[in-house]
Amino acid sequence: GVALLMSGVQSEAMEMFEAVIKIQRLILDDGCIEVAQTLKRMGNIHLIRRSYIESICCYERALDIEREKLGTCHSDVLGTMSKLAVALFKYGALEKSLTTLQEVLHIQEKTLGEKDLSVASTLDLLGGICAKRSTHCHSKNAIDFYEEALQVRICILGEDHVLVGKTFSDMAAAHFEQNSFNMAESMCRNALKIFKQANLPTNHKYMFEINERIMRLNSAKSRTQVMHPREKLGGWLPWTENLRSAVSTSGWHLVDN
């Protein structure tokens, strides 16, 4: 079933997992860890298929088993809670999703300390959810969560790690949504520099994201600029690292928000 899922054959993988869980319940126990693992795999498939109610049900049943067998602070329990939070968010249960992630973060900080990559991942997830719904969680917005995740990742991984670049890229998107174009430009520049240093191919997911965000930023800034009546800029440059110099020599002026 796992091999089929990794190959993208979701229907056959689901059939396999459904058969497996029936056998597990007959031979083992309805509340054993093996059943929880199969439920989580089924939940993953439902999440991919956008069957969010079914996904939530699988994760919740798996979570009940794991909490009973492993305790509330086990890494598998926290991983399932994070998956559940994503499914809840996709379904539209925003408050419950944020509450679940806040519980995960609280347990992680208590058991692992604040400077841990698992903490950074949860902060990143909180930032992503807040950004997509333009909302706050306990007075923190998306950028607040991203900045905390950034600090943890820089502390552990160093300033040039790809995950640090990914956080800069996500922060750029959050600043863009707040019309803070200058900050978005700075974040894009930081992310692109790291990705280029890491020699990521142009078809890499992170490169695709940052290039798309740069194009959106360029388009938005071109709509807010004031053109000098006697001069023109032949075309808007595709990369923000050259953006400021191009504008300063063109006779155009940027209107900062």
Side-chain angles (χ1 to χ4, degrees):
V2 175
L4 289 169
L5 182 57
M6 291 178 66
S7 301
V9 189
Q10 298 170 17
S11 297
E12 293 182 23
M14 181 61 84
E15 290 177 4
M16 183 71 71
F17 290 139
E18 288 173 345
V20 167
I21 203 167
K22 287 180 181 178
I23 297 172
Q24 287 173 334
R25 285 168 171 165
L26 285 172
I27 299 177
L28 301 173
D29 186 301
D30 194 43
C32 68
I33 288 296
E34 289 79 5
V35 169
Q37 291 173 342
T38 305
L39 284 168
K40 287 193 292 184
R41 288 164 180 161
M42 293 170 66
N44 293 341
I45 295 176
H46 285 306
L47 190 61
I48 294 170
R49 290 176 166 180
R50 300 183 181 181
S51 302
Y52 301 130
I53 295 177
E54 291 83 355
S55 179
I56 290 168
C57 288
C58 286
Y59 290 141
E60 286 181 337
R61 286 159 61 194
L63 189 58
D64 288 339
I65 296 171
E66 289 179 333
R67 279 175 170 160
E68 181 180 347
K69 299 294 185 181
L70 304 174
T72 57
C73 298
H74 195 279
S75 58
D76 285 356
V77 173
L78 300 180
T80 306
M81 289 176 69
S82 296
K83 282 282 192 180
L84 174 60
V86 172
L88 288 166
F89 168 70
K90 297 279 190 181
Y91 179 63
L94 179 60
E95 290 302 320
K96 192 172 181 180
S97 173
L98 291 173
T99 300
T100 302
L101 282 178
Q102 281 291 118
E103 185 180 351
V104 172
L105 183 63
H106 175 73
I107 295 172
Q108 287 175 333
E109 290 178 338
K110 183 179 178 181
T111 58
L112 302 173
E114 295 183 357
K115 300 299 183 182
D116 187 271
L117 289 177
S118 297
V119 171
S121 296
T122 303
L123 288 166
D124 197 64
L125 194 51
L126 279 162
I129 289 177
C130 287
K132 289 177 181 177
R133 286 291 181 267
S134 299
T135 188
H136 291 66
C137 181
H138 294 279
S139 77
K140 291 183 179 180
N141 61 21
I143 295 171
D144 295 326
F145 288 117
Y146 283 140
E147 285 180 345
E148 290 183 36
L150 181 67
Q151 291 172 8
V152 174
R153 284 173 172 160
I154 289 176
C155 179
I156 298 174
L157 302 172
E159 296 181 351
D160 298 326
H161 196 277
V162 168
L163 284 179
V164 172
K166 176 65 166 66
T167 309
F168 276 127
S169 178
D170 291 336
M171 290 174 70
H175 280 295
F176 178 87
E177 293 301 324
Q178 295 184 9
N179 294 325
S180 300
F181 296 152
N182 288 338
M183 285 299 298
E185 178 184 336
S186 176
M187 298 298 105
C188 282
R189 187 184 297 115
N190 292 340
L192 191 61
K193 179 182 177 181
I194 292 171
F195 294 157
K196 286 184 174 180
Q197 287 177 343
N199 294 317
L200 292 187
T202 55
N203 61 349
H204 192 280
K205 177 183 177 181
Y206 292 170
M207 286 295 287
F208 179 82
E209 283 180 345
I210 193 62
N211 288 340
E212 184 179 44
R213 286 163 180 172
I214 287 170
M215 287 189 289
R216 288 183 65 202
L217 176 62
N218 291 340
S219 177
K221 295 200 78 166
S222 69
R223 292 195 299 269
T224 62
Q225 62 192 349
V226 179
M227 182 175 176
H228 190 282
R230 294 185 179 181
E231 298 186 33
K232 289 185 178 180
L233 180 63
W236 198 257
L237 296 183
W239 308 111
T240 53
E241 55 192 311
N242 297 319
L243 181 60
R244 186 63 62 183
S245 60
V247 173
S248 64
T249 59
S250 68
W252 291 32
H253 305 282
L254 290 181
V255 177
D256 293 325
N257 291 339

